[in-house]
Amino acid sequence: MTFRYAATLLLSLSCLCAQAADAAPQREDKVLRMFLSTSETGLDPAVASDNATLSLLENLFDPLLRYDYLARPARLRGNTAVAMPEVSKDGLNYTFRIRPGIHFTPDPAFKGVKREVTAADYVYSLKRLSDPALKSPWAYMFDGVASMQALDRTTLRITLKAPDNNFLFYLATPATGVVAREVIEAYPGQAGNHPVGTGPFMIGEWKRSDRIVLLANPDSTAVFHATPGDNDEDRAIAAALNGKRLPRVDRVEVRIAEEFQGRMLGFLNAEYDYLEQIPESMTDMVVRDGALKPELAARGIVLSRFPVLQTYYMWMNMNDPVVGGYGKDKVALRRAIALSYNSAEDIALLKKGFAIKAESPLPPNVLGYDPAYRSPVPYDPALANALLDRHGYKVRDADGFRRAPGGKPLTLTMHSEATVGGRLRDELWRKCLNAIGLRVVFKSDKKTEIIKASRLGTVQMFESNWIADFPDGDNFYQLLYGPNAGRANYARFDLPAYNTRYEQARRLTDGPARSKLYFEMNQLLHAYNPWVPLTHVLSGDLRHPWLKHYKRHPVEFTTWRYLDVDVAQRARTAQGAR
């Protein structure tokens, strides 16, 4: 074969290959379409605390540990750490081995060098939370840390001042995601505008308070490992994902959708691939007689109910002159208020069946939850009336409302959110309290303003809720611990018998001894009634049929890294809808 002939043949083959490549169908990007219910703030793990921003940080930055995607109750596993840490017998020393080969996403701060994560980066990142200039809301998590050391490039040791059974949960929060000193120092005071992490995604486009696009991190070393549960759904997810690289989609397109109706219509128009927690006011759009409407089921849409690690409760200020105090008359007043609460009406009419009655502060799936525990304070307005008559509230004014002991006028003041939902709840409480002869007025405001006033002790009563920071009972019982008054303990409940038991329980792991203390703490709560436990939400979640591997997690904000999209099915469904 001559050189000229060979060259001609090679050129012909090249042309044919090029034509074939041009003719071959290009793989369409897999795009996950999502929304956040509020605007994001700066994307700095050390300072962000709102759920929208934490949802993004969870995908951009890597903490040492993460939760197993499928395990229930929630269980931790290694993330950038190769495994769970070695813990000394005295519970003070935690030694982590950092997985080699993890790199930060590119940034000019690295001057063209591919920057690998080291143990020293975690020392820097975790100590940064305690920087007084940042005023990090997460600094408290490391109050109990005595020292942090990088023993070598991949070995991190953290030493505590005293054992803390919840410490490892802190190391799975978005706040503890690793950052690079070079980036923080390159953008003084602007780190939140330059998110450079090691997570499964990185920022592609960012139009503040409107649209955020996350791109799959091409250097991501994350691989799926999980413990399949005892159901077919879990086994199918494990079979499909185990050993595969994460994330599974090419990008995530995120919109800010603050209005309930906009979220719901967006999902129904296939603008979003799933919607978690159907808004109460929108339930009738998609649910009929407790089930998904047939016309939506025919589109392949799936409705599932998920027990959120969340407790709704109405608290009363124990320092307030009207409802506060530990004397028998004030205890009787608060007990009567608790007895007046109609949980069945709340769940059926306001929650549309998407809730269960709260018997204690703990929701299902939290360590320490006792499914057999029942509150000794039922809905019983007749008993409430008798209790008030007996303890000095028998005299009534011309309008039929009770007076305080001694004949003084009695008016309860309950703060409420200035929303449609807030007004509906006002009417429920008005009905409940009027039924036992108690006059109540409502003071509406933005929730943020009510929380500020609550911390100052100027709110008498307010209906609030708590979502778990980590899946342990301690995270809920600390809300009634005396020294936490003015912080999470809005009720300012400060009972030595409760405080002592809380301190004892905090030193124990989940088990019979701690369960006994939790039972006694519940009984004290129900004896003094600083709270009226209301409901635990059953989130109504919707998803389209083209979304794969979806499973709601009880603690993590998002599951984006695990999700996949059947692009062809989405296209067929959209075409059929037209």
Side-chain angles (χ1 to χ4, degrees):
M1 180 183 296
T2 66
F3 175 79
R4 183 174 181 181
Y5 177 75
T8 303
L9 180 60
L10 182 60
L11 180 61
S12 299
L13 288 172
S14 298
C15 291
L16 287 171
C17 289
Q19 291 170 8
D22 290 340
Q26 297 294 311
R27 184 181 77 83
E28 186 176 346
D29 279 356
K30 293 183 177 181
V31 181
L32 181 66
R33 298 168 181 165
M34 288 308 310
F35 70 84
L36 294 173
S37 57
T38 59
S39 296
E40 79 293 355
T41 56
L43 297 174
D44 182 346
V47 297
S49 61
D50 60 284
N51 287 358
T53 306
L54 294 173
S55 296
L56 296 169
L57 293 174
E58 197 172 68
N59 291 280
L60 298 171
F61 294 88
D62 267 326
L64 287 161
L65 305 175
R66 283 205 182 275
Y67 289 91
D68 187 305
Y69 184 39
L70 302 179
R72 304 292 185 273
R75 183 168 67 242
L76 294 170
R77 64 179 305 127
N79 183 42
T80 54
V82 296
M84 297 297 288
E86 300 165 17
V87 184
S88 60
K89 289 183 179 180
D90 60 7
L92 296 179
N93 293 306
Y94 292 75
T95 304
F96 297 86
R97 312 289 175 184
I98 308 300
R99 183 160 42 87
I102 300 171
H103 294 87
F104 289 102
T105 54
D107 189 85
F110 301 133
K111 303 184 187 310
V113 176
K114 194 170 184 179
R115 177 65 157 77
E116 187 175 15
V117 174
T118 68
D121 291 318
Y122 273 103
V123 173
Y124 172 76
S125 302
L126 298 178
K127 284 186 175 181
R128 187 169 172 262
L129 297 175
S130 300
D131 181 348
L134 292 177
K135 298 180 181 177
S136 172
W138 309 101
Y140 75 92
M141 298 190 301
F142 293 89
D143 288 344
V145 173
S147 66
M148 286 182 272
Q149 301 171 279
L151 302 184
D152 57 39
R153 189 171 179 79
T154 60
T155 308
L156 169 68
R157 176 165 294 164
I158 301 176
T159 301
L160 305 185
K161 299 172 186 175
D164 184 347
N165 293 318
N166 293 319
F167 182 66
L168 290 179
F169 288 127
Y170 304 158
L171 298 178
T173 61
T176 63
V178 67
V179 299
R181 181 191 294 267
E182 301 97 308
V183 173
I184 303 302
E185 293 179 350
Y187 309 106
Q190 296 294 317
N193 297 327
H194 300 272
V196 178
T198 64
F201 295 97
M202 58 187 188
I203 288 287
E205 179 186 335
W206 185 5
K207 187 177 180 182
R208 287 180 176 274
S209 303
D210 179 24
R211 171 182 162 88
I212 306 104
V213 177
L214 304 184
L215 304 178
N217 179 357
D219 290 329
S220 174
T221 60
V223 175
F224 185 87
H225 296 290
T227 306
D230 57 359
N231 61 73
D232 291 341
E233 180 186 42
D234 282 3
R235 284 191 284 269
I237 292 174
L241 291 182
N242 263 330
K244 291 188 177 179
R245 189 172 166 225
L246 302 176
R248 303 306 301 163
V249 297
D250 299 294
R251 66 180 188 270
V252 183
E253 296 180 353
V254 184
R255 290 280 188 182
I256 306 302
E258 297 185 339
E259 297 296 327
F260 288 157
Q261 187 173 26
R263 294 177 214 164
M264 182 63 73
L265 292 177
F267 171 80
L268 294 176
N269 291 333
E271 295 168 19
Y272 308 125
D273 294 321
Y274 69 87
L275 179 150
E276 291 180 342
Q277 203 148 344
I278 300 168
E280 291 176 15
S281 58
M282 301 283 108
T283 304
D284 291 341
M285 288 182 65
V286 293
V287 173
R288 182 184 302 144
D289 299 326
L292 188 68
K293 287 185 174 180
E295 57 270 30
L296 299 180
R299 290 171 53 183
I301 294 173
V302 177
L303 167 68
S304 56
R305 287 174 168 81
F306 179 80
V308 182
L309 300 189
Q310 182 177 26
T311 297
Y312 278 82
Y313 60 99
M314 193 278 285
W315 56 264
M316 292 169 271
N317 186 345
M318 295 296 286
N319 293 342
D320 183 82
V322 177
V323 299
Y326 296 83
K328 289 185 178 180
D329 59 330
K330 298 301 179 66
V331 171
L333 176 60
R334 292 194 301 273
R335 174 72 62 82
I337 291 170
L339 288 165
S340 78
Y341 166 65
N342 189 338
S343 62
E345 185 170 341
D346 186 355
I347 292 169
L349 298 184
L350 299 188
K351 293 289 194 298
K352 306 293 184 181
F354 286 86
I356 59 174
K357 183 179 184 295
E359 305 289 347
S360 78
L362 297 193
N365 292 323
V366 164
L367 292 173
Y369 172 74
D370 180 1
Y373 183 82
R374 293 293 179 269
S375 167
V377 185
Y379 169 58
D380 193 336
L383 180 58
N385 275 302
L387 191 65
L388 291 171
D389 286 347
R390 182 175 178 178
H391 288 275
Y393 298 88
K394 191 170 186 177
V395 175
R396 302 195 182 215
D397 60 23
D399 294 326
F401 291 110
R402 295 179 184 275
R403 290 181 173 269
K408 293 181 180 180
L410 173 63
T411 299
L412 304 177
T413 302
M414 183 180 288
H415 274 66
S416 67
E417 293 185 60
T419 63
V420 173
R423 288 190 288 274
L424 291 173
R425 303 209 64 76
D426 292 351
E427 290 311 306
L428 174 66
W429 275 111
R430 191 191 310 277
K431 179 180 178 181
C432 292
L433 294 170
N434 288 177
I436 60 171
L438 295 176
R439 177 188 283 110
V440 60
V441 296
F442 297 93
K443 187 174 181 180
S444 295
D445 205 341
K446 292 182 178 179
K447 188 172 183 178
T448 53
E449 296 303 314
I450 298 172
I451 294 301
K452 288 178 186 176
S454 299
R455 289 174 175 159
L456 295 173
T458 58
V459 174
Q460 183 183 101
M461 309 164 69
F462 179 54
E463 185 176 307
S464 189
N465 72 89
W466 184 263
I467 302 175
D469 297 311
F470 51 87
D472 189 84
D474 177 78
N475 195 232
F476 288 84
Y477 285 116
Q478 58 95 15
L479 301 174
L480 290 154
Y481 180 50
N484 285 343
R487 294 188 290 178
N489 181 359
Y490 298 137
R492 286 174 153 71
F493 185 55
D494 192 5
L495 186 73
Y498 182 95
N499 295 341
T500 299
R501 286 166 173 79
Y502 173 77
E503 290 163 358
Q504 292 171 348
R506 203 167 191 279
R507 293 192 289 269
L508 299 173
T509 56
D510 185 40
R514 194 176 75 159
S515 294
K516 180 176 181 295
L517 290 169
Y518 279 2
F519 175 85
E520 293 170 358
M521 290 155 67
N522 287 340
Q523 294 293 292
L524 290 168
L525 162 64
H526 293 305
Y528 287 89
N529 298 109
W531 277 23
V532 181
L534 304 176
T535 57
H536 305 304
V537 170
L538 290 176
S539 176
D541 300 340
L542 299 169
R543 66 182 185 271
H544 286 292
W546 55 78
L547 185 67
K548 307 301 178 186
H549 318 318
Y550 174 84
K551 184 178 176 70
R552 182 86 176 264
H553 195 275
V555 182
E556 293 189 334
F557 295 96
T558 68
T559 59
W560 299 345
R561 70 189 62 214
Y562 310 111
L563 301 181
D564 207 339
V565 173
D566 186 328
V567 177
Q569 185 177 5
R570 176 194 270 160
R572 288 195 302 272
T573 304
Q575 187 175 12
R578 290 196 294 268

